[in-house]
Amino acid sequence: MDNTSQLLAIGSGIILAVVSYILIDYFGKKLHFKQRFFNIFWGYILGPIIENKLKKTKEKLYSEANGKVLEIGSGTGSTFKYLNFENISTLISIEPNPFMFNELEKQSLKINKINDKNKKDKEGINDNDNDIDNDEINNNNNNNNNNNLKSNKIKILSKTIEMSINDKDIEYLSFDTIICNLVLCSIKDEKEIMQNVIRLLIPGGKLLFIEHIESEKYHWRLFQYIINPFWSLIGDNCKLTKKTDKLIKSIKGWEKVTISNIITPLPFNFIQGIAIKEL
């Protein structure tokens, strides 16, 4: 193959890749392909892998949640099992991806069953009805149009945080704890979200977070920038190259921000942290 043919082949490949990206992105938004695919990809492939590697970190960090709690981007409710509900009055769970809603509600009902059982055990009440009722989940979904569900301590909002604020589902200066678990990577304007986090927290309230950020290692960072466009398609707008640690520190209103790396064998640079709002 001569040089001209090689250049034509490379050029055709680039054009095909660009056109494919544009078409996938367009129809992904129009027909919710990205959300549908991510629900499967996260639920059955990537999610369990990451969950296994971050389990101990989550157990320690999220047990710090107390009072009135808000979780932004709950996904399928993977953090619920790490929360100590004896220290929590209410948990408001926000998740705008409608294809994660059924599993999220199932986890909510499961946790509430466990909490009810623990309470009855302490009170000496015998209760053998602890199974999750799928009909109960389906009835909740049908009756509430997947928009606003409340089950004991957990209230689920199937909308964005901006919509939740505008609809007055959540109010400023009302939360003791806010949780962000691998969600800021997928939010377009994470700075605005963090400013809202400050507004939503009471003085002295805390943000608990686990996120992944741009790699500190050059070869991994280069790899992240190369695959980032494709990754955002399969990861429901997840970006591998965000500097979330620096963003959180830059937001005015914190009294103290503590961030540390989470060491895992995965090709992601995970961080955990606690940010406390000034009094």
Side-chain angles (χ1 to χ4, degrees), residues 24 46 89 154 191 194 222:
I24 293 172
L46 187 60
S89 58
I154 303 176
K191 184 175 182 179
M194 292 310 303
L222 178 62

mmCIF file of all heavy atoms in Angstrom, residues 24 46 89 154 191 194 222:
data_model
loop_
_atom_site.group_PDB
_atom_site.id
_atom_site.type_symbol
_atom_site.label_atom_id
_atom_site.label_comp_id
_atom_site.label_asym_id
_atom_site.label_seq_id
_atom_site.Cartn_x
_atom_site.Cartn_y
_atom_site.Cartn_z
ATOM 1 N N ILE A 24 -23.907 8.129 17.625
ATOM 2 C CA ILE A 24 -24.147 7.449 18.905
ATOM 3 C C ILE A 24 -24.534 8.448 19.983
ATOM 4 O O ILE A 24 -25.454 8.221 20.770
ATOM 5 C CB ILE A 24 -22.905 6.644 19.333
ATOM 6 C CG1 ILE A 24 -22.666 5.473 18.370
ATOM 7 C CG2 ILE A 24 -23.085 6.107 20.751
ATOM 8 C CD1 ILE A 24 -21.370 4.750 18.607
ATOM 9 N N LEU A 46 -19.084 -3.236 35.693
ATOM 10 C CA LEU A 46 -18.148 -2.344 36.371
ATOM 11 C C LEU A 46 -18.497 -2.122 37.836
ATOM 12 O O LEU A 46 -17.617 -2.102 38.694
ATOM 13 C CB LEU A 46 -18.079 -1.002 35.629
ATOM 14 C CG LEU A 46 -17.014 -0.017 36.120
ATOM 15 C CD1 LEU A 46 -15.619 -0.637 35.993
ATOM 16 C CD2 LEU A 46 -17.094 1.288 35.332
ATOM 17 N N SER A 89 -31.958 10.456 60.632
ATOM 18 C CA SER A 89 -33.395 10.724 60.774
ATOM 19 C C SER A 89 -34.110 10.527 59.441
ATOM 20 O O SER A 89 -35.197 9.941 59.397
ATOM 21 C CB SER A 89 -33.619 12.156 61.280
ATOM 22 O OG SER A 89 -33.028 13.108 60.396
ATOM 23 N N ILE A 154 -36.290 6.537 54.031
ATOM 24 C CA ILE A 154 -35.685 6.849 52.736
ATOM 25 C C ILE A 154 -36.711 7.430 51.778
ATOM 26 O O ILE A 154 -37.765 6.838 51.543
ATOM 27 C CB ILE A 154 -35.048 5.592 52.107
ATOM 28 C CG1 ILE A 154 -34.015 4.991 53.065
ATOM 29 C CG2 ILE A 154 -34.391 5.940 50.771
ATOM 30 C CD1 ILE A 154 -33.414 3.689 52.572
ATOM 31 N N LYS A 191 -19.070 22.329 39.441
ATOM 32 C CA LYS A 191 -18.821 23.481 40.311
ATOM 33 C C LYS A 191 -20.143 24.034 40.857
ATOM 34 O O LYS A 191 -20.252 24.351 42.047
ATOM 35 C CB LYS A 191 -18.079 24.580 39.559
ATOM 36 C CG LYS A 191 -17.716 25.769 40.437
ATOM 37 C CD LYS A 191 -16.866 26.780 39.687
ATOM 38 C CE LYS A 191 -16.471 27.941 40.603
ATOM 39 N NZ LYS A 191 -15.626 28.928 39.894
ATOM 40 N N MET A 194 -21.413 21.730 43.536
ATOM 41 C CA MET A 194 -20.709 21.896 44.808
ATOM 42 C C MET A 194 -21.129 23.168 45.529
ATOM 43 O O MET A 194 -21.201 23.204 46.758
ATOM 44 C CB MET A 194 -19.194 21.886 44.577
ATOM 45 C CG MET A 194 -18.626 20.554 44.138
ATOM 46 S SD MET A 194 -19.159 19.188 45.206
ATOM 47 C CE MET A 194 -18.590 19.759 46.792
ATOM 48 N N LEU A 222 -2.460 9.971 30.038
ATOM 49 C CA LEU A 222 -2.522 10.019 28.576
ATOM 50 C C LEU A 222 -3.581 9.051 28.052
ATOM 51 O O LEU A 222 -4.381 9.394 27.173
ATOM 52 C CB LEU A 222 -1.155 9.681 27.980
ATOM 53 C CG LEU A 222 -1.069 9.639 26.447
ATOM 54 C CD1 LEU A 222 -1.404 11.008 25.865
ATOM 55 C CD2 LEU A 222 0.321 9.190 26.004
#
